[in-house]
């Protein structure tokens, strides 16, 4: 892991120090699915969580995104999955070297996901397709955290409120 040594990893695991960039020291997915987030941010969404949303809804959403990627005539560029006891953490990890390796590429990828989200029935039903983003859709589905990573050195984490 770039920028953090073995002793620091052990200290993080013991809760003795905080993770760099504001990441939570108790995030058990750090070091397994993605490196320590280089940066974090709070995303204050205008969206409201939809009624009746559950763990199964979030897992179904992620399964649908993965199925869309599998239908394409080329390998999936990312792995998208939900983690956490209530599947409240959305994780997007690049499967290709050199992608999603900066905050700018991560935000560009989210912009593409926003373009797709804006064509969904739910955005059109609520007439928010010109103002809400992919992260707002995440909020509507009950996700509390979104992490995007190159799967090697870079990760950026959003806390969704």
């Amino acid at each position: 892991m770039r920028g953090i040594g073995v002793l620091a990893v052990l200290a993080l695991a013991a809760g003795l120090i905080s993770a760099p960039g504001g990441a939570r020291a108790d995030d058990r997915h750090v070091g397994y699915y993605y490196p320590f987030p280089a940066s974090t941010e709070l995303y204050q969404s205008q969206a409201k969580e939809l009624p009746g949303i559950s763990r199964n809804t979030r897992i179904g959403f992620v399964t649908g995104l993965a199925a869309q990627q599998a239908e394409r005539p080329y390998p999936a560029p990312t792995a998208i999955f939900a983690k956490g006891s209530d599947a409240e953490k959305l994780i997007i990890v690049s499967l290709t070297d050199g992608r999603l390796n900066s905050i700018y590429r991560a935000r560009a990828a989210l912009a593409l996901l926003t373009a797709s989200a804006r064509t969904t029935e739910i955005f059109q039903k609520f007439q928010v397709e010109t103002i809400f983003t992919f992260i707002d859709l995440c909020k509507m589905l009950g996700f509390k955290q979104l992490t995007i990573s190159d799967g090697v050195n870079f990760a950026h984490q959003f806390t969704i409120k």
Side-chain angles (χ1 to χ4, degrees):
M1 286 179 257
R2 186 183 73 182
I4 190 158
V6 174
L7 291 177
V9 170
L10 293 174
L12 276 168
L16 300 174
I17 62 172
S18 297
R24 291 177 45 134
D26 63 347
D27 185 345
R28 66 186 185 93
H29 301 105
V30 169
Y32 190 83
Y33 293 111
Y34 47 84
F36 287 98
S39 53
T40 61
E41 67 183 276
L42 173 64
Y43 184 87
Q44 190 68 49
S45 177
Q46 296 176 39
K48 303 287 184 217
E49 185 174 330
L50 296 171
I53 295 298
S54 68
R55 180 179 195 279
N56 288 341
T57 307
R58 286 183 286 283
I59 290 172
F61 171 73
V62 171
T63 301
L65 286 177
Q68 284 178 350
Q69 283 192 9
E71 291 173 0
R72 297 179 181 148
Y74 50 86
T78 58
I80 302 173
F81 45 99
K83 289 293 175 186
S85 60
D86 204 25
E88 74 283 1
K89 298 176 181 182
L90 183 64
I91 301 170
I92 302 172
V93 178
S94 175
L95 298 174
T96 306
D97 285 341
R99 293 186 181 197
L100 300 181
N101 58 359
S102 73
I103 187 65
Y104 309 109
R105 288 182 174 161
R107 287 191 174 131
L110 291 173
L112 287 174
L113 288 169
T114 292
S116 294
R118 287 180 171 163
T119 66
T120 63
E121 184 179 324
I122 194 159
F123 271 29
Q124 293 171 3
K125 175 183 174 184
F126 292 109
Q127 300 179 338
V128 294
E129 66 272 13
T130 60
I131 54 172
F132 278 8
T133 68
F134 177 76
I135 303 175
D136 293 309
L137 178 59
C138 291
K139 168 71 182 271
M140 294 168 76
L141 295 171
F143 287 103
K144 308 292 185 220
Q145 181 178 291
L146 168 63
T147 304
I148 190 163
S149 174
D150 69 350
V152 180
N153 295 313
F154 173 81
H156 181 76
Q157 197 166 72
F158 296 87
T159 299
I160 305 169
K161 296 284 183 180

